[in-house]
Amino acid sequence: MCGIVGAVAQRNIVSVLIEGLRRLEYRGYDSCGVAVLGENGPRRARSVARVADLDEQVHEGHFDGITGIAHTRWATHGAPVTDNAHPIFSKDALALVHNGIIENYETLREMLRGKGYEFVSQTDTEVIAHLIHSVYRGDLFAAVREAIAQLHGAYAIAVLHKDQPHTVVGARQGSPLVVGLGNGENFLASDALALAGSTERFIFLEEGDVCELSLDGVRIVDRDGNEAQREVRQVAAYGGAVELGPYRHFMQKEIFEQPRAITDTIPQADSFDPSIFGEDAGKVFAEIDSLLILACGTSYYSGLTAKYWLESIAKIPTQVEIASEYRYRESVPNPKSLVVVISQSGETADTLAALKHAQSLGHKHTLAVCNVGTSAMVRQTELSFLTHAGREIGVASTKAFTTQLVALFVLAATLAKLRGHLSDEQEAGYLKQLRHLPAALNSVLALEPQIIAWSEEFSRKEHALFLGRGLHYPIALEGALKLKEISYIHAEAYPAGELKHGPLALVTEAMPVVTVAPNDALLEKLKSNIQEVRARGGELYVFADADTKIVNDEGLHVIRMPEHYGLLSPILHVVPLQLLAYHTACARGTDVDKPRNLAKSVTVE
Ligand code: F6R
């Protein structure tokens, strides 16, 4: 997704800008660019290739400047071609980079054409550049404030003007933007990660903020134009670039990091104590009568899994909604419901907007399950639980998902205890199972060679069906999502009992049917569903718990999982599905870590 970097310093900042873009690369982009202020105004380089190509261009062109902005673009308005890459110029005087979407760009474009501005890109961004230029009267900060009052939509922007050689102005509304504070130099970025190595002191701008970076300081005003004092946070956790080590791709590395990530996420305490969700969690949990979970994509599937746990262990009614749907439908708010947002990045625009929507409807109790402690979601919720997956680089979420599941299981057990549904014996049992989970995961990861053998078969298919039941239906959904997003094989998931209500018509020998088969209460039902597929000549690929006694047969391929792992079984069963998607994608030669059209952190609607 789009990324912004900006800098004002007393040294050549080109390398800071390029390094910032490199750190944002993993999020996915299809073009990039940089502009620095020189004596004759802004000078830019743009590329529809990688940041490495941009780096070559700036070296060959001897780019040098103490003020600059840079961008990675993930196309929304206009194809990924050089003319649409940012920075976008206005009259060769002003340069601008933008994340987000401007909804009223057509009206503004007509108005600006009327004033003589020519448009050379198909982007919505170009209207912002010309709009600011049209109201500029020697004060860029004032011009930006005047211009953004006319924008509808979401944006984070960074702007510079040739007449103000030591100034970068930023503004945010609906897209994240952070200021990095240095000594005699200051920075701007859409994510603090971009500035690792340049500073560890950050100001996370709030909605509606406009900031002006100069050599000796940063000025911020809020949406009402009042001078704002924002907290300066020390963030040292961003370290250097993540190494690939012995792995072929980050996705593979991250799949294998899951035992460690889960160990780091499991709370240390010997009991399920609400305080791990925040100081006031005990009080909040005592007040609530239900949960409303809001999330997108893989995070939504962890919410769906959690619903089974929350209703069966904690006996608390739980609703799970896709954030982008919830925010636009009329719902019946229940102020006694705890709103839980789940997100790896904590910046997903749809989930953030859904959270704000829920709050505007009167939901006062909110909790974020998130992998980034400094993210907007964690800052905007009353309670939070941080997963400790570590940075996830692969676009397809793996370790973030399993650590979310751990967090949500802990939430279910904690609520169960507070609501009187958890005996001491059960509590000790769940804690023991959680602590043994990393070892159990290692034995599942050891199945990789068998999965590689299957992936050869899968790589020649164009469609696949995934089946699961109960607690493992969301795992089938997640398996199908993983396969489609990285291998581009069309995959659908169904609760196995639904097969006969339609999808069975698709079953032929050309359609592999992947089945998640834990030894739980629904096993006998699932076995009947397996027979329905076999009777129609379908090829089954079953991940079966060792104690299910499902064995290889004609049209029935089985990989044996460890023995049934009880309520935590989904965390084990998703891992072979991740590996199957990964190795199938490798066999097809797709770009595993950066699948086409996708971005890591989806900060636009
Ligand atoms: C799929 C995937 C996405 C994300 C979704 C939400 O592998 O990663 O579906 O889960 O975009 O992202 P977060 O969790 O950052 O809110």
Side-chain angles (χ1 to χ4, degrees):
M1 193 96 331
C2 301
I4 290 176
V5 192
V8 182
Q10 297 174 46
R11 56 183 168 126
N12 183 1
I13 40 69
V14 173
S15 60
V16 171
L17 299 174
I18 296 288
E19 178 56 22
L21 294 187
R22 275 214 179 92
R23 289 176 183 274
L24 296 175
E25 266 195 303
Y26 76 98
R27 295 183 160 210
Y29 66 103
D30 34 45
S31 60
C32 50
V34 58
V36 290
L37 266 181
E39 279 174 14
N40 302 319
R43 185 179 173 209
R44 78 182 153 189
R46 296 184 287 179
S47 169
V48 288
R50 303 277 98 189
V51 172
D53 175 65
L54 191 68
D55 193 19
E56 263 179 43
Q57 286 190 44
V58 296
H59 266 94
E60 280 167 16
H62 303 290
F63 273 61
D64 191 343
I66 59 168
T67 302
I69 54 178
H71 194 253
T72 48
R73 174 173 187 256
W74 186 77
T76 56
H77 292 65
V81 296
T82 310
D83 278 348
N84 291 335
H86 305 196
I88 297 283
F89 280 7
S90 181
K91 306 266 188 195
D92 285 336
L94 177 149
L96 176 138
V97 293
H98 164 224
N99 290 356
I101 292 175
I102 301 305
E103 287 161 7
N104 59 335
Y105 78 101
E106 282 168 331
T107 321
L108 291 171
R109 193 169 52 193
E110 286 323 301
M111 183 273 284
L112 288 159
R113 275 194 176 127
K115 291 188 172 183
Y117 284 94
E118 261 183 56
F119 283 78
V120 294
S121 78
Q122 287 89 48
T123 63
D124 52 341
T125 302
E126 197 171 358
V127 298
I128 318 177
H130 292 324
L131 189 60
I132 297 172
H133 184 273
S134 73
V135 296
Y136 180 78
R137 285 178 290 275
D139 181 347
L140 189 58
F141 190 61
V144 168
R145 288 180 53 207
E146 191 176 333
I148 60 173
Q150 298 181 54
L151 302 178
H152 299 168
Y155 53 82
I157 56 170
V159 203
L160 49 81
H161 193 285
K162 73 174 173 46
D163 295 342
Q164 291 181 240
H166 306 298
T167 303
V168 170
V169 175
R172 73 156 286 191
Q173 178 65 48
S175 285
L177 199 61
V178 302
V179 171
L181 301 171
N183 292 325
E185 53 186 26
N186 290 300
F187 312 94
L188 200 59
S190 50
D191 187 325
L193 175 73
L195 301 176
S198 294
T199 183
E200 293 184 347
R201 291 190 301 133
F202 294 97
I203 293 172
F204 292 85
L205 294 178
E206 293 185 10
E207 291 290 59
D209 281 356
V210 183
C211 67
E212 182 181 48
L213 271 62
S214 53
L215 287 173
D216 51 7
V218 176
R219 175 183 172 203
I220 301 171
V221 295
D222 66 17
R223 68 167 82 245
D224 300 320
N226 302 315
E227 298 288 333
Q229 294 301 322
R230 302 278 179 237
E231 188 189 345
V232 178
R233 296 183 189 217
Q234 193 79 20
V235 182
Y238 289 107
V242 177
E243 301 296 331
L244 196 50
Y247 298 97
R248 266 178 81 188
H249 296 98
F250 282 107
M251 182 178 176
Q252 186 187 28
K253 176 173 184 254
E254 287 156 6
I255 291 173
F256 278 84
E257 275 175 351
Q258 290 178 106
R260 194 273 311 145
I262 283 175
T263 305
D264 292 352
T265 301
I266 295 169
Q268 295 300 310
D270 287 333
S271 63
F272 291 108
D273 192 304
S275 62
I276 49 166
F277 295 92
E279 245 175 66
D280 294 336
K283 205 165 116 266
V284 171
F285 290 172
E287 275 177 34
I288 59 165
D289 67 2
S290 57
L291 272 82
L292 169 61
I293 298 181
L294 303 169
C296 303
T298 287
S299 298
Y300 169 69
Y301 296 147
S302 69
L304 282 184
T305 314
K307 177 182 166 78
Y308 288 86
W309 288 330
L310 287 157
E311 296 205 338
S312 70
I313 313 175
K315 316 273 178 241
I316 186 158
T318 302
Q319 195 185 331
V320 191
E321 286 213 39
I322 292 177
S324 56
E325 287 295 310
Y326 170 77
R327 63 183 286 199
Y328 288 120
R329 80 177 180 86
E330 281 187 30
S331 56
V332 184
N334 170 8
K336 292 183 91 179
S337 196
L338 174 68
V339 175
V340 181
V341 284
I342 309 170
S343 176
Q344 188 282 126
S345 60
E347 303 289 351
T348 301
D350 286 320
T351 312
L352 263 177
L355 170 65
K356 284 183 202 158
H357 179 63
Q359 285 168 326
S360 75
L361 294 178
H363 284 282
K364 61 181 171 130
H365 295 314
T366 54
L367 162 71
V369 172
C370 189
N371 197 36
V372 182
T374 51
S375 63
M377 246 174 259
V378 173
R379 283 180 279 126
Q380 279 166 33
T381 45
E382 187 182 22
L383 307 174
S384 60
F385 184 106
L386 292 188
T387 51
H388 292 284
R391 247 172 89 191
E392 197 178 58
I393 305 282
V395 162
S397 190
T398 52
K399 60 178 181 169
F401 179 68
T402 44
T403 52
Q404 285 168 355
L405 289 179
V406 167
L408 292 162
F409 184 82
V410 171
L411 176 65
T414 307
L415 288 172
K417 187 173 169 185
L418 286 174
R419 295 162 67 85
H421 298 299
L422 193 72
S423 66
D424 290 350
E425 206 179 313
Q426 279 169 320
E427 181 171 19
Y430 288 159
L431 283 165
K432 192 171 161 203
Q433 265 198 315
L434 274 172
R435 302 216 191 292
H436 182 256
L437 200 51
L441 273 172
N442 276 323
S443 62
V444 177
L445 289 167
L447 299 172
E448 191 182 34
Q450 294 177 58
I451 296 168
I452 293 175
W454 281 10
S455 64
E456 289 298 324
E457 289 282 310
F458 273 73
S459 67
R460 291 190 284 276
K461 307 286 184 194
E462 287 310 321
H463 306 274
L465 262 183
F466 284 69
L467 302 180
R469 291 201 76 140
L471 193 51
H472 294 78
Y473 166 51
I475 298 306
L477 285 165
E478 171 63 2
L481 177 62
K482 287 288 93 94
L483 187 69
K484 72 184 119 185
E485 72 180 321
I486 59 167
S487 76
Y488 315 148
I489 292 173
H490 168 230
E492 297 285 342
Y494 280 91
E498 269 293 291
L499 208 53
K500 56 191 174 296
H501 298 292
L504 201 53
L506 293 172
V507 170
T508 66
E509 67 284 356
M511 171 77 92
V513 181
V514 182
T515 308
V516 184
N519 185 18
D520 62 10
L522 289 166
L523 178 65
E524 290 313 314
K525 304 272 177 218
L526 187 76
K527 281 182 174 169
S528 307
N529 303 138
I530 288 176
Q531 293 313 328
E532 288 165 14
V533 174
R534 289 189 73 195
R536 272 106 193 145
E539 288 281 310
L540 280 142
Y541 294 82
V542 185
F543 292 100
D545 283 354
D547 40 1
T548 56
K549 304 206 167 49
I550 300 176
V551 290
N552 281 311
D553 204 340
E554 206 187 323
L556 179 61
H557 314 274
V558 182
I559 288 183
R560 266 170 163 253
M561 297 281 291
E563 292 202 347
H564 186 50
Y565 209 76
L567 283 172
L568 290 167
S569 164
I571 301 177
L572 294 191
H573 266 278
V574 75
V575 173
L577 303 186
Q578 296 168 343
L579 284 169
L580 181 64
Y582 171 71
H583 285 292
T584 304
C586 288
R588 285 166 74 98
T590 57
D591 189 348
V592 173
D593 285 333
K594 296 189 182 83
R596 69 182 178 210
N597 307 337
L598 299 181
K600 182 68 188 158
S601 182
V602 187
T603 48
V604 293
E605 186 180 343

